[in-house]
Amino acid sequence: MMRTLIQTLLAPVVWVADKLGTSREVARDEAQQAEVDEACEALALYQFWSEPECIRVRREITRLGLSIETRDARLDPEHGQTLKEQGGKLQVPCLYIREASGEERWLYNAQRIIDYLRRHFGE
């Protein structure tokens, strides 16, 4: 209860730090960025806005210059339900991946998500 209250109160500070404290580290030309943006349409990050591990993943998304939809599983009950029913558990961060074959994957754990993003979108 106290942790949730603290996270809620610090959310605006976290947002500012997240936006201003992270710079893009990957440079792409326009065509390359368009390809990356298209690939990112098959991804969604299920997260809680002020959860530290989710912040880590969002910062990596910024560093890599990715446009990945974020879905707050705490604030939007529909996203929470989807994560629990389709992903198998209500745990964040979780990266939803729709493969080219149509197969759906749910990748849990911040470090595993970061490793996946670096492998697929890093230089």
Side-chain angles (χ1 to χ4, degrees):
M1 173 76 172
M2 183 60 111
R3 180 179 176 182
T4 302
L5 177 62
I6 291 170
Q7 288 177 336
T8 302
L9 293 173
L10 290 177
V13 175
V14 168
W15 182 85
V16 170
D18 204 19
K19 293 297 179 188
L20 300 179
T22 305
S23 61
R24 188 173 174 163
E25 295 176 0
V26 177
R28 298 181 187 95
D29 65 32
E30 199 172 306
Q32 290 171 324
Q33 188 62 48
E35 285 180 29
V36 167
D37 290 345
E38 185 177 335
C40 287
E41 290 177 10
L43 305 174
L45 178 67
Y46 285 81
Q47 48 113 36
F48 296 161
W49 184 251
S50 56
E51 178 67 35
E53 291 300 296
C54 297
I55 294 168
R56 271 185 67 211
V57 174
R58 288 196 314 268
R59 292 185 93 175
E60 191 63 27
I61 288 170
T62 300
R63 281 187 198 98
L64 294 172
L66 306 177
S67 298
I68 297 175
E69 177 186 358
T70 56
R71 299 175 180 173
D72 197 300
R74 178 181 291 149
L75 299 178
D76 187 326
E78 188 176 313
H79 290 319
Q81 191 68 24
T82 299
L83 179 59
K84 187 175 181 181
E85 288 177 1
Q86 295 180 22
K89 53 188 168 182
L90 183 58
Q91 177 185 326
V92 295
C94 179
L95 185 66
Y96 165 77
I97 305 164
R98 187 181 62 247
E99 301 286 356
S101 65
E103 178 185 349
E104 296 180 334
R105 293 180 38 207
W106 299 83
L107 183 61
Y108 290 91
N109 181 289
Q111 190 58 54
R112 290 181 62 207
I113 294 168
I114 289 169
D115 291 344
Y116 173 90
L117 295 174
R118 287 180 183 165
R119 260 193 329 276
H120 287 84
F121 302 107
E123 291 187 308

